[in-house]
Each structure stands twice: as structure tokens, then as C-alpha cells.
Amino acid sequence: MLQNLGFFILLLGVLVTVHELGHFLVAKACGVKVLKFSIGFGPKIIGFTKGETEYQVALLPLGGYVKMAGDLPHEELPPEEAARGFLAQPPWKRGLIVLAGPAFNLVFPIFVYFFVFLGPQETLSTRVGMVSPDMAAAAAGMRPGDRILKVDGEPVRTFDDMRDAFVGRFERPVPITLERDGQERVVQVTPERSSEVSPVDTVERGMIGVSPYPQPPVVGVLAGSAAANAGLKSFDRVLSVNGVHVQDEAALYREVAKVAEGTPLALIVARLQPVAVGAVSGRVPEVKQVTLPRQAGEGPSALGAEAVDLYVATVASGSVAEAAGIQPGDRIVAINGTPLKSFNKLATVLNGLQAQPFTLTWRGEKGERTEKLAQAPLKTRDDYGQTSAPLVFGVRPWSYSSADLPPVEKVTIDLGPAAAFKEAALIVPKIVGQMVQVLGGLVVGKVSPSTIGGPIMMYQLAAKSAEQGMDSFLNLMAIISINLGVMNLLPIPVLDGFHLLSAAWEGIRRRPIPVRVREVANMVGLALLILLMLLAVTNDVTR
């Protein structure tokens, strides 16, 4: 508890100091007299006075302030100091002072990310862990275990390099150089167009359907197939082929490729069996031995089975799928008459349909069925206790624990100062765009107000990120700093954005906003902030 509290105070303390330091330094540079620089609100814990400024740390770490001379409309200053008051400054100086706080919050993350990126960094390699069966990579013959060396002649070392190489490359054949079993080969892949839209820009890139994360060698088995006749069942996990341990799909492809068609394959598989101990029920793995002839094809096809992707692993209680009679082990076949190859494609279609009805075909123990269905709201709760009721169908594919798989292959990239600074300078605008998008979603109702968090959520995030390591904690600090910078630029009374707007108004109109108007606006803004804080704290307590 004390350690977590320490990280929470450190997180807030650094961000508040950065924000207030912006106001303080620019105010000093503009010749404004600064009376007090405070980190925190309420009673003073420690402090000292140097020159004309008192510096202090206060009891409540949820903010801070810079008290400047002459920053209130009716405040009177001695004649010799009147010119050093905040409101006595020209609009452009006041605007700079106000802007400095949010600006420091937006610039500070660049330096945070600079230190995160600087030096040796482990990142994902270009080894393919999974190939989506309904996309271009699968159509071109790519398979798990392949290593991507070049995209359209450009060498790639990391998965991010490979992904970025497809920016602007789509809807035309793109040569990809692979390494498989120690030999290079070139395949022609035609990526699908994908648009990543943000308030900052729109990036169009090609998507080929590969992932660096390996998949377990779990199979789906159709009734009456060669695999079923040999005793395999859906969701069996292959542990070994002819005595050779198989740790992921890539290993399964590799081992069955060594055996000629028609030759017996001796498999050891793990099968989840239902068990009950008193009132507690669950599923435990049971090892089985299966022998079958090697079939034509690669991977699961060589076993007379198929990828497990479209087999339903779980059905949500109270969902449309449950009401329709879909059960675990059933296979989704088609939607609106279009055959499906992956759950990803099913999810994409359902996301586009929303509440519109659709025709679904699936195959179960009693054969194939087709029904007209529609998604419906289903109440859910996430790990942070937030509840929502999104439109869902209610089926989920096979899921697995990362502990069941070998670690994702990584490569070490050593970034020098220039490269680290470039990466930091590129990532911050992306996060700013995401923040603006979320704020816009809150305004138009696309993002639920229940997602707003307060001090308790920040405490939880600080604790969890600290557990994950210093890079994770610094990443959280950078994100919250950007959040503070963006929020403070909103033209809401009491926030810096409104004061910046006031300075701009005065600079253009040559007269300030009337004092009474500012006083009323400040009261309204303060009321809004109090309501926002109440909502955040209520969400925290509810969670």
C-alpha cells in the first residue's frame, strides 16, 4: 500500500510540477512577479522563500498553482510594482504565460519517451506466428513460422518495420521475401486497404493478415472427417507428432511437412474433459494417443482436420447466440450467404451490421442450420468494474493462455539519441490525436461517461504500471501528461484554455472581456469541474 501510494504521489507530483513550472518560468521571463509556487493544495507541509517567491509543497497532491501579483481584477499593487502584475501585461504575454502550462505537459512526454526509447530495445521480430485464413497472406501461401525479410524490396527487421512498409501499398501485388526452413522464397501478396483515421491525419496501409504472436496447435474437427474417424475431437491440442514435441502452429506445419502423404502420424493430444468435485465443476486436460494417415495439405489439413478459428468455444449466457441454440463446438459456416474463414471476419461483419438482422449458418451435432438473427445489448463488466451493454451476438473463439506458448520472438534494436528523439517526437502527436478523438466521443455520446476516472483509478493505474516496470510507469506518466495538456487547452472557464481565449479576444477586440462576464463564466466553469470530479469519483467508487 505504501509503495503504491508512493508511486501515485510521484506520478501526480511530477506532472503537477511540470505544468506549474511552465507557468512559473514564462511568467518570470515576462517580468511578472510570482508570489507563490505551490505543488499541491491546502496546508503547507514544507516550504521556503527565495527572493520574492515562496515555494511550498502542500498536503493535497491533486494539483498545484502559481500565484502571480495582480492576477485578480480588483487587486491593488504598490505603484512601483503595478507594471509587474499579471493583468497589467499585454495580451500576448498573458497568452504565453497561460499557454506555457499545457505546452510543458505536451512537450514533457517527448523527453520521457526519449529515455524510454534510448539504447537497446527488445521488439517483435518479423517471424510470423499466425496467419489469418481469410486474408491475403494465407491466399499467397504464407504460413506460421515464416520470417519476412523484405517487403517490395525493402529490408525489414521488426514487425513494426514490416507494418510500416505497407503504408500506401494495397490493392496491388506486393512481392514479399520470406525465409522458410532456411531457404528464401518470394510470394506475391495483394494487401487489403485499411484506413486508420484520427483527428490529426488518416493513414492508409495494406493489411495482409499476419500476427507475430504464435497460436497453439489446436484443431477443429468436422463430423465424418478423417480426423474424426481416427478419434480426434474439436479443441484437441497437438502435443507431439511422431514423438517430436509441437509447441505452436509453426511447429505443427514443420513436423507434418516431413511426412509423406499416406504415412501414419502418431499424435499425442491434450483434450479438455469436464470434471466435477463436489459443487465445483471445470475442465482438466487429459492426454490421448491418436494414429491416423497423413492427409494432403499442410498443418491441420494434413491431419484431416482444419483450423479451430471458426469453432465456437464459449457462448455468452443470456445472449442471442444462446437463445438460437448455438453450442460450444459448433462451427460457424456463413453469414448472409457468404462463407466465412475466420472469427475476425465474422466480427467485422457484425460490427458493420450493428442491430440490423442477418442470416447465420452454422453446423452442430444435429447438422447444419440457418436462422435469421440480430445482435442485442448484453450487460458486461470489465476488469476495472466498469459496466456497459454493447450490442453483441454472444459467441467467442478458442482462447488460450500465453503461458501455454513459447515466448514471442524478439530482436534487439539499439537506438541512438537522434533516432530515440525522432521516435518520441512521432509518438506524442499520435497520442494527442487519440485524446482528442476520445474527448469528441464523450461530447457526441460515442464514449460512455462511465469511462471517466478519478484519483482512485489513477492510483490503480500507477500501481499496476509500476509492477510492470519503469518503462510502463514512464509510459503512463507521458500519457497522463498529454491528457492534462489537452484538457487544459479546452476553452472552459477556470481552465487555461479559457484564459488563453480571453487573451486572444482582448488582443483582437482591443478590450478585455467584461469583469462581470468573466466572474460568471468562472463560477459556471468551476461548477462544471466540480460536477466532473463528482462523476469521476462516483465512477471510481462504483468500480
Side-chain angles (χ1 to χ4, degrees):
M1 285 288 292
L2 288 176
Q3 180 177 317
N4 291 342
L5 183 61
F7 280 115
F8 173 63
I9 293 174
L10 176 64
L11 176 68
L12 287 183
V14 170
L15 297 181
V16 169
T17 301
V18 167
H19 183 91
E20 301 305 334
L21 192 62
H23 294 312
F24 174 78
L25 292 177
V26 177
K28 286 281 192 181
C30 291
V32 175
K33 183 177 181 179
V34 179
L35 302 176
K36 184 179 288 188
F37 180 91
S38 178
I39 303 303
F41 297 115
K44 178 172 69 174
I45 300 177
I46 57 172
F48 63 91
T49 300
K50 184 176 181 181
E52 60 188 14
T53 306
E54 179 187 1
Y55 303 85
Q56 72 170 29
V57 176
L59 182 62
L60 299 176
L62 300 179
Y65 62 92
V66 172
K67 170 62 180 173
M68 290 173 276
D71 58 1
L72 298 176
H74 304 296
E75 185 178 350
E76 294 186 5
L77 297 176
E80 65 273 14
E81 294 186 353
R84 299 186 63 200
F86 174 74
L87 293 178
Q89 306 305 309
W92 68 270
K93 280 191 176 183
R94 298 204 309 273
L96 283 178
I97 295 170
V98 169
L99 180 62
F104 269 48
N105 278 131
L106 295 175
V107 173
F108 174 68
I110 295 178
F111 294 97
V112 173
Y113 281 121
F114 170 78
F115 287 106
V116 170
F117 294 144
L118 183 63
Q121 302 286 329
E122 278 196 339
T123 187
L124 298 175
S125 76
T126 59
R127 183 180 184 271
V128 176
M130 183 275 289
V131 179
S132 182
D134 61 338
M135 295 192 69
M142 291 179 65
R143 71 188 196 194
D146 290 347
R147 187 183 308 281
I148 299 174
L149 303 177
K150 297 178 183 178
V151 175
D152 211 1
E154 294 182 10
V156 290
R157 287 191 60 194
T158 71
F159 197 82
D160 283 339
D161 289 343
M162 185 274 293
R163 188 169 175 271
D164 290 341
F166 283 101
V167 172
R169 292 184 171 100
F170 45 78
E171 297 177 352
R172 67 172 177 85
V174 176
I176 296 180
T177 305
L178 305 174
E179 181 186 17
R180 180 185 297 172
D181 299 329
Q183 296 182 340
E184 289 189 15
R185 63 181 67 194
V186 178
V187 296
Q188 298 291 327
V189 181
T190 304
E192 298 179 11
R193 182 199 297 258
S194 174
S195 298
E196 297 177 3
V197 182
S198 76
V200 179
D201 60 1
T202 298
V203 177
E204 291 189 333
R205 72 173 78 241
M207 299 292 288
I208 63 173
V210 296
S211 166
Y213 298 100
Q215 303 288 302
V218 178
V219 296
V221 179
L222 288 173
S225 65
N229 294 335
L232 274 180
K233 293 186 177 182
S234 292
F235 309 121
D236 279 355
R237 174 174 178 153
V238 180
L239 299 178
S240 69
V241 176
N242 291 341
V244 179
H245 175 60
V246 174
Q247 60 184 357
D248 59 12
E249 270 193 336
L252 176 64
Y253 275 81
R254 184 175 62 249
E255 293 307 317
V256 298
K258 298 176 182 178
V259 180
E261 185 176 339
T263 304
L265 289 172
L267 307 180
I268 296 179
V269 301
R271 179 175 301 162
L272 292 178
Q273 300 283 12
V275 296
V277 180
V280 179
S281 62
R283 299 172 74 86
V284 297
E286 182 180 334
V287 176
K288 299 283 187 179
Q289 293 185 358
V290 177
T291 302
L292 48 77
R294 207 282 198 189
Q295 306 293 309
E298 298 179 320
S301 298
L303 309 179
E306 59 182 356
V308 75
D309 191 82
L310 277 170
Y311 284 78
V312 176
T314 59
V315 180
S317 177
S319 66
V320 172
E322 184 184 55
I326 297 177
Q327 299 179 356
D330 290 356
R331 185 191 188 280
I332 307 298
V333 176
I335 186 168
N336 289 335
T338 303
L340 291 169
K341 294 183 178 180
S342 73
F343 252 99
N344 181 56
K345 188 66 175 179
L346 173 65
T348 301
V349 175
L350 291 176
N351 185 56
L353 289 172
Q354 293 297 307
Q356 298 178 40
F358 57 89
T359 301
L360 188 78
T361 302
W362 71 95
R363 185 182 299 121
E365 291 183 356
K366 298 180 180 179
E368 195 166 284
R369 291 177 57 189
T370 299
E371 286 194 19
K372 195 167 187 177
L373 307 168
Q375 296 185 100
L378 183 66
K379 189 174 182 179
T380 60
R381 181 184 293 269
D382 65 15
D383 293 338
Y384 291 99
Q386 297 186 74
T387 58
S388 59
L391 289 171
V392 297
F393 177 48
V395 294
R396 296 187 182 92
W398 175 264
S399 61
Y400 56 92
S401 169
S402 58
D404 298 333
L405 293 168
V408 182
E409 184 179 275
K410 295 184 177 181
V411 293
T412 300
I413 304 296
D414 195 350
L415 293 184
F421 188 81
K422 178 183 177 182
E423 291 296 320
L426 289 174
I427 195 172
V428 170
K430 292 180 181 178
I431 299 175
V432 170
Q434 293 168 357
M435 296 287 183
V436 173
Q437 201 167 21
V438 170
L439 289 174
L442 284 169
V443 172
V444 302
K446 289 185 177 180
V447 177
S448 172
S450 65
T451 60
I452 297 173
I456 297 176
M457 174 176 271
M458 288 185 65
Y459 172 87
Q460 292 173 325
L461 291 174
K464 286 188 177 182
S465 64
E467 288 176 3
Q468 294 167 0
M470 185 53 64
D471 282 357
S472 178
F473 183 75
L474 290 175
N475 183 64
L476 175 67
M477 182 179 288
I479 289 174
I480 295 180
S481 183
I482 294 170
N483 198 348
L484 288 174
V486 172
M487 287 292 295
N488 270 283
L489 286 174
L490 296 177
I492 298 174
V494 183
L495 295 183
D496 292 329
F498 182 77
H499 295 297
L500 185 62
L501 181 65
S502 299
W505 173 281
E506 184 175 343
I508 295 171
R509 298 293 300 273
R510 302 298 180 184
R511 62 176 181 270
I513 296 176
V515 174
R516 182 58 183 163
V517 173
R518 282 194 307 221
E519 290 175 346
V520 172
N522 284 335
M523 287 189 290
V524 172
L526 184 61
L528 289 174
L529 287 182
I530 291 173
L531 289 174
L532 182 62
M533 283 301 299
L534 287 174
L535 173 63
V537 172
T538 301
N539 287 343
D540 282 353
V541 173
T542 303
R543 281 189 287 266

